[in-house]
Every structure is written in C-alpha cells, then in structure tokens.
Amino acid sequence: MLKPLSLAYGGLLSIRNSLYDHQLVATHIPTQRCISVGNLTVGGTGKTPAVEYLLRYLLTLDQQLTGSIATLSRGYGRKTRGFRIATPADSAAAIGDEPLQLFRNFAPQVCITVGERRAEALQQLAMIRPDIRTVVLDDAYQHRAVQPQLNVLLSDYNRPFYTDDPFPGGRLRERRQGARRADAVLVTKCPQPPSPAERIAITNQIRRYTESQPGKADVPVLFAGLAYDPPRPFSGQPATSITGPVRLVSGLANAEPLVRYVTATWGLAHHDDFGDHHAYTRDDVTHLLSQTPPDTWLLTTQKDAVKLDPLLTDEERQTRRLAYVPVGMRLFEPDDEATLARLVYDCLRGPALKNR
C-alpha cells in the first residue's frame, strides 16, 4: 500500500538532486577540505564509529597537511539552534548526544561543532577558526548545499541499501541511484570478515548504482565490522572485567549488533530498548536502578552514557555497577585500510574545487 508513496517521495528527491547535479541550485564549496560521512538509510549504519575512525587517522597525519581538524554535525536532538562550537560546559541538550561523545573522545585535539545549515556553519567556522583546514561532515550525504571533496557512503551489511526502497515503504532517504555520488562505499557492521565470494557479490550489487558514467573509475567498496572495547565504569575507574548476565540499556536506531555482542560476551538478563536519541530523564534512571539488582551490571553505550551520567548522583556512580561499552569500527583487510587512507590523503592534497 505504501509503494506509490515511496515512488512519489523518491521522485521528488530525484528532482531535487537533479537541480543540484545540473547546477540549477547553487552549491557552496567550503574553504576547508571536507570529508562527508553519510548514508542512504534512515539511521543505524554506524556513522559515529566511522567518523571516529577517520578522526583517529587524520590525527596521525602531519598537521602541515591537515591543519587543525573539526567535525560538523547537525546536532540531532539538541534544544539549541544555529552554529555552535562545543565547550566543556555543553550537554547533550546543547549540542546533541553524538557530538558530545565526539567532544569527550577528541577535544581539544579536534574542534567539535554543530549547525543544521552546513554551508552557513562552515563559513562561520572559517571566520572564527581560520586555522581549521579539515572538516569531517557527519551525516551530510543528502546535504547537497555543500560540496565535499570526499563522499563516503555507509551501507549496513544487515540492511543494504540496494535491497531497500524510499520512505515510507522502506528506509531510504532517497532512491538507490543516490549512491552514484559516493567516492567510496563502506559496508559496515559485518558480523565477520566476508569471504572473497561474498565480497565480490556485494561489491557487484553496489556498483550497479555507483557506476553511472562511462569511463568512471570503480568506486572502492570496503568492509568493516564493529569493535568493542572493555567496559568503562561510570565511576571513572579503569576499564573493568564484568560478570553477567547484564541489563542492557540503549537508545539506538538499530541495537541488534550490540545485543548479539552482549549476549555472546556476558549473557543478557534484560534489554531496555529506548528510541534512537532518547532524551533520558531522572525518572528513567530511577526506574532502571530500581529494576536492576545491586549485584547486576547495568551496561549501556557511550552515546547513551553521556546523557545518563549527568542524571546520576555521586553515590550511584560509586556504589552501583554502571558501565558503558565504547564502540569503534575496524576494517577487515589491510588493503581496505590502505585504500581509505589513500582516498583521504588525496582529498587533502588534491586541487581545490571550483565554486558554482
């Protein structure tokens, strides 16, 4: 029943994209080198681990090449508006949960910023911080008002874009053909390294949509999984070994990979599955603690921890078994790591784009 609505929605987005493709709508070319990380699917493809992976790589490069580094996110779920540079005083309500996580992990080496209008935000950033020459754009694949130097498209292994349809009949933000804008496609959340035959099969499916121009070089298709670090207690103590089964709390678009990991590692007593970017309240915390025996670990993600921690008392942090699991991204093959590194390096060294 939703198929006609999906066709209509996808058609409208195709018209919009065509206006940008044919330069009938102006595109801003930032003075900074911009690497865009995004997807065609609504949520849950692992953008934040991918952004963190790129930041860690950028921080290994010579600053003569990168200049100072920043991220720019919309700041989904924040209660503020406009451009904002994150500070130690900011909360998730001020900048959003994912930018706050990035701030906790990378500031002050990386300048974390938010702004729903990316073009305006980049111009303001250039005036305030002219030393910043490299910006990672978080979730900006459909933000056509900005032309990045490198477009990295993510596709969830468990829900590939090439089997999906546009909203509302599916989960795509636009038609599959939008993949043609990608300079690389990163297949995320693979539960294990795919076999050579599976790599070829997935790559061929993706390149049906990325190879749109005669003579265009093959778009690299890379494969990655999630990497989980040891849990870190809310008390601030070093990473610890925990015993299970545990109670899991998450506010994610797709918690299935995390649930599988927790179940296999410690055992799962219960999963409190809140909606993506859930704004936790003290009532939520009171309920969770009352339902969790003192000898049971309550485990969550860092994205959720940055919102839960301010709601805890000092006594609860020190006496209750509360911890979060840092989640990262790992590329399976050294060749894939080298390919992504080369793309980023070429982006930073390449000629400037022309304004149009």
Side-chain angles (χ1 to χ4, degrees), residues 139-161:
D139 197 14
Y141 196 79
Q142 282 78 34
H143 202 87
R144 300 296 305 277
V146 173
Q147 176 64 48
Q149 279 79 12
L150 181 64
N151 235 340
V152 180
L153 174 65
L154 308 186
S155 178
D156 187 340
Y157 171 90
N158 306 285
R159 298 184 300 189
F161 74 86

Side-chain angles (χ1 to χ4, degrees), residues 47-57 98 101-102 105-106 302 327-328:
K47 290 186 297 294
T48 301
V51 168
E52 292 194 345
Y53 180 96
L54 288 170
L55 291 176
R56 290 190 179 95
Y57 172 68
E98 289 165 344
Q101 175 180 325
L102 293 174
N105 290 343
F106 292 96
Q302 188 177 10
V327 182

Side-chain angles (χ1 to χ4, degrees), residues 240-283:
T240 185
S241 296
I242 67 176
T243 57
V246 304
R247 187 184 189 101
L248 177 65
V249 179
S250 68
L252 307 172
N254 177 18
E256 292 176 11
L258 178 63
V259 169
R260 287 197 298 267
Y261 173 75
V262 169
T263 302
T265 306
W266 300 286
L268 183 65
H270 184 77
H271 180 207
D272 295 275
D273 189 7
F274 292 89
D276 195 20
H277 299 284
H278 178 69
Y280 293 97
T281 65
R282 177 60 209 187
D283 286 344

Side-chain angles (χ1 to χ4, degrees), residues 198-238:
E198 188 178 21
R199 283 180 65 103
I200 291 172
I202 293 173
T203 298
N204 288 340
Q205 288 278 13
I206 288 173
R207 285 183 176 163
R208 291 175 54 200
Y209 300 98
T210 59
E211 296 179 358
S212 58
Q213 302 172 14
K216 180 182 178 182
D218 290 342
V219 172
V221 179
L222 317 174
F223 293 82
L226 295 174
Y228 298 94
D229 286 344
R232 298 180 185 176
F234 278 59
S235 63
Q237 298 298 316

Side-chain angles (χ1 to χ4, degrees), residues 16-17 20 25-30 116-120 122-123 137 140-148 181 355-356:
R16 173 183 178 269
N17 284 328
Y20 280 106
V25 177
T27 301
H28 173 65
I29 307 299
E116 59 273 16
R117 295 182 179 272
R118 304 319 202 281
E120 294 178 9
L122 287 167
Q123 293 176 66
L137 302 175
Y141 196 79
Q142 282 78 34
H143 202 87
R144 300 296 305 277
V146 173
Q147 176 64 48
R181 300 195 302 277
N355 281 289
R356 64 189 191 201

Side-chain angles (χ1 to χ4, degrees), residues 247 283-294 298 320:
R247 187 184 189 101
D283 286 344
D284 291 330
V285 172
T286 301
H287 173 75
L288 291 169
L289 293 178
S290 69
Q291 297 298 310
T292 306
L298 195 153
R320 297 303 297 264

Side-chain angles (χ1 to χ4, degrees), residues 34-354:
C34 289
I35 302 169
S36 171
V37 177
N39 56 23
L40 295 178
T41 308
V42 178
T45 56
K47 290 186 297 294
T48 301
V51 168
E52 292 194 345
Y53 180 96
L54 288 170
L55 291 176
R56 290 190 179 95
Y57 172 68
L58 288 168
L59 288 171
T60 67
L61 300 177
D62 191 336
Q63 196 170 6
Q64 293 277 341
L65 176 65
T66 64
S68 296
I69 301 166
T71 66
L72 174 59
S73 310
R74 174 187 172 189
Y76 186 85
R78 66 185 174 123
K79 296 181 180 179
T80 60
R81 294 187 62 81
F83 176 68
R84 189 181 185 98
I85 295 178
T87 72
D90 281 326
S91 64
I95 60 174
D97 50 16
E98 289 165 344
L100 182 57
Q101 175 180 325
L102 293 174
F103 184 85
R104 297 275 177 87
N105 290 343
F106 292 96
Q109 289 177 289
V110 177
C111 177
I112 309 300
T113 72
V114 294
E116 59 273 16
R117 295 182 179 272
R118 304 319 202 281
E120 294 178 9
L122 287 167
Q123 293 176 66
Q124 292 184 59
L125 180 61
M127 291 192 305
I128 298 170
R129 291 286 306 273
D131 59 304
I132 291 175
R133 300 207 309 268
T134 303
V135 180
V136 179
L137 302 175
D138 181 14
D139 197 14
Y141 196 79
Q142 282 78 34
H143 202 87
R144 300 296 305 277
V146 173
Q147 176 64 48
Q149 279 79 12
L150 181 64
N151 235 340
V152 180
L153 174 65
L154 308 186
S155 178
D156 187 340
Y157 171 90
N158 306 285
R159 298 184 300 189
F161 74 86
Y162 54 79
T163 64
D164 211 342
D165 293 309
F167 181 85
R171 297 177 57 85
L172 295 186
R173 297 174 174 182
E174 58 178 295
R175 286 178 173 170
R176 303 171 190 175
Q177 286 75 11
R180 71 183 61 172
R181 300 195 302 277
D183 298 303
V185 178
L186 190 55
V187 181
T188 60
K189 299 187 177 181
C190 300
Q192 58 190 9
S195 67
E198 188 178 21
R199 283 180 65 103
I200 291 172
I202 293 173
T203 298
N204 288 340
Q205 288 278 13
I206 288 173
R207 285 183 176 163
R208 291 175 54 200
Y209 300 98
T210 59
E211 296 179 358
S212 58
Q213 302 172 14
K216 180 182 178 182
D218 290 342
V219 172
V221 179
L222 317 174
F223 293 82
L226 295 174
Y228 298 94
D229 286 344
R232 298 180 185 176
F234 278 59
S235 63
Q237 298 298 316
T240 185
S241 296
I242 67 176
T243 57
V246 304
R247 187 184 189 101
L248 177 65
V249 179
S250 68
L252 307 172
N254 177 18
E256 292 176 11
L258 178 63
V259 169
R260 287 197 298 267
Y261 173 75
V262 169
T263 302
T265 306
W266 300 286
L268 183 65
H270 184 77
H271 180 207
D272 295 275
D273 189 7
F274 292 89
D276 195 20
H277 299 284
H278 178 69
Y280 293 97
T281 65
R282 177 60 209 187
D283 286 344
D284 291 330
V285 172
T286 301
H287 173 75
L288 291 169
L289 293 178
S290 69
Q291 297 298 310
T292 306
D295 60 348
T296 297
W297 281 93
L298 195 153
L299 201 62
T300 190
T301 69
Q302 188 177 10
K303 172 182 168 179
D304 295 293
V306 298
K307 293 178 289 188
L308 288 166
D309 184 65
L311 302 173
L312 296 167
T313 66
D314 288 338
E315 181 182 1
E316 288 166 344
R317 289 190 195 92
Q318 297 301 323
T319 62
R320 297 303 297 264
R321 296 188 171 189
L322 309 171
Y324 68 87
V325 179
V327 182
M329 185 189 81
R330 64 187 180 100
L331 291 167
F332 291 119
E333 299 292 338
D335 286 349
D336 286 355
E337 291 181 346
T339 296
L340 185 56
R342 176 181 55 78
L343 288 169
V344 172
Y345 190 82
D346 290 347
C347 160
L348 300 177
R349 289 291 302 269
L353 297 173
K354 296 181 179 179

